[in-house]
Amino acid sequence: MNHNEEIIRVGISPMTPPEVFVELWPKIQKIYPEMKFKLITFENTPENAREILANMGKNIDVIAGIFDETMLELRGCDGTEISREPFCVAVSIHHRLAKKEKITLDDLAGENLMLMRRGWSYYGDMLRDDMMKNHPEINIVDFNLYNVEAFNRCENNNEVLLAFKSWESVHPLIRIIPVEWDYTMPFGILHSKKPSIKVKRLINAINKVK
């Protein structure tokens, strides 16, 4: 078998860190000992989000990250769920809430809560609708893309950003804190709607060990 046929090209960026593969790797290797990973870095830009996800399998085989059906349809790719990740919030280490171990909705009263624009995520829109209807004291602020600039804005403007624990290493001046709510989002690997044989093997292994 051609060596390259068993190398999975994993796209990584600040928003899509490869830690999940570090955790799953020993289990996957027991099932497919010949499988290898090659990390390929990319920048989180609107252009890359469209280009890479719509052409999975061309230069990048898989990306680890959050997703739901709305996002998959928007980006023209597919996903395999590994876990459900709770929505958290990110704040500057200088923010008044930064020392809390868990944040309540009452804590967020009067704060600017940064949410991705409507239509990006079913679960994000569900949370948005809940905030607008039941918590008008929380100010919703739209932004267009999760990238380092969103974290810079959160830190510089002392705003609150909807985020996930896996993004803790994105910005050194940001702390990510759980919130007392029940909102979660699927986390797993993004891949082509018609995955290659090697990616199908990876999906099969993940489904066995997750």
Side-chain angles (χ1 to χ4, degrees):
M1 182 175 288
N2 188 316
H3 177 65
N4 287 331
E5 289 180 2
E6 292 305 316
I7 296 178
I8 304 290
R9 298 165 298 175
V10 182
I12 62 170
S13 73
M15 301 293 107
T16 56
E19 277 78 6
V20 63
F21 292 103
V22 176
E23 296 171 13
L24 291 176
W25 172 242
K27 300 174 184 177
I28 291 172
Q29 198 171 37
K30 284 183 180 179
I31 300 172
Y32 294 113
E34 70 280 9
M35 188 174 288
K36 308 291 182 185
F37 289 122
K38 179 182 179 180
L39 303 184
I40 299 175
T41 59
F42 69 92
E43 185 181 356
N44 290 98
T45 65
E47 296 76 21
N48 278 350
R50 286 192 295 268
E51 177 69 20
I52 294 173
L53 294 178
N55 294 283
M56 295 292 277
K58 184 178 179 182
N59 298 312
I60 291 174
D61 296 309
V62 299
I63 294 173
I66 56 167
F67 63 88
D68 63 15
E69 289 304 317
T70 300
M71 183 190 140
L72 295 178
E73 186 173 340
L74 185 69
R75 297 304 188 193
C77 59
D78 209 345
T80 296
E81 184 175 326
I82 296 173
S83 62
R84 300 283 299 201
E85 296 299 311
F87 280 117
C88 299
V89 294
V91 296
S92 165
I93 59 174
H94 305 297
H95 194 281
R96 68 178 183 88
L97 300 175
K99 289 185 169 61
K100 285 186 168 287
E101 293 305 312
K102 199 160 193 178
I103 287 175
T104 68
L105 288 168
D106 288 340
D107 290 330
L108 294 175
E111 294 290 341
N112 288 336
L113 176 61
M114 295 173 60
L115 298 183
M116 268 283 280
R117 57 176 175 75
R118 185 179 290 279
W120 170 76
S121 158
Y122 169 79
Y123 296 102
D125 287 349
M126 190 188 303
L127 185 145
R128 173 192 292 270
D129 291 339
D130 182 10
M131 296 299 104
M132 291 178 68
K133 180 179 178 181
N134 300 311
H135 302 279
E137 69 280 4
I138 299 172
N139 306 314
I140 294 176
V141 179
D142 286 359
F143 69 101
N144 290 323
L145 184 71
Y146 273 112
N147 56 16
V148 174
E149 280 309 306
F151 281 78
N152 284 336
R153 172 179 165 181
C154 171
E155 202 280 325
N156 293 336
N157 296 349
N158 213 33
E159 296 182 326
V160 178
L161 173 67
L162 191 70
F164 297 88
K165 267 292 183 184
S166 60
W167 295 347
E168 283 183 309
S169 62
V170 171
H171 197 298
L173 300 180
I174 288 287
R175 182 155 184 256
I176 297 180
I177 309 171
V179 184
E180 288 186 2
W181 57 26
D182 296 324
Y183 289 99
T184 64
M185 195 162 176
F187 171 84
I189 61 164
L190 299 164
H191 50 79
S192 169
K193 287 185 175 181
K194 296 179 179 179
S196 63
I197 293 173
K198 63 184 177 183
V199 173
K200 285 180 180 178
R201 288 197 186 101
L202 175 63
I203 294 168
N204 177 59
I206 287 173
N207 286 332
K208 286 182 177 179
V209 304
K210 67 179 182 180

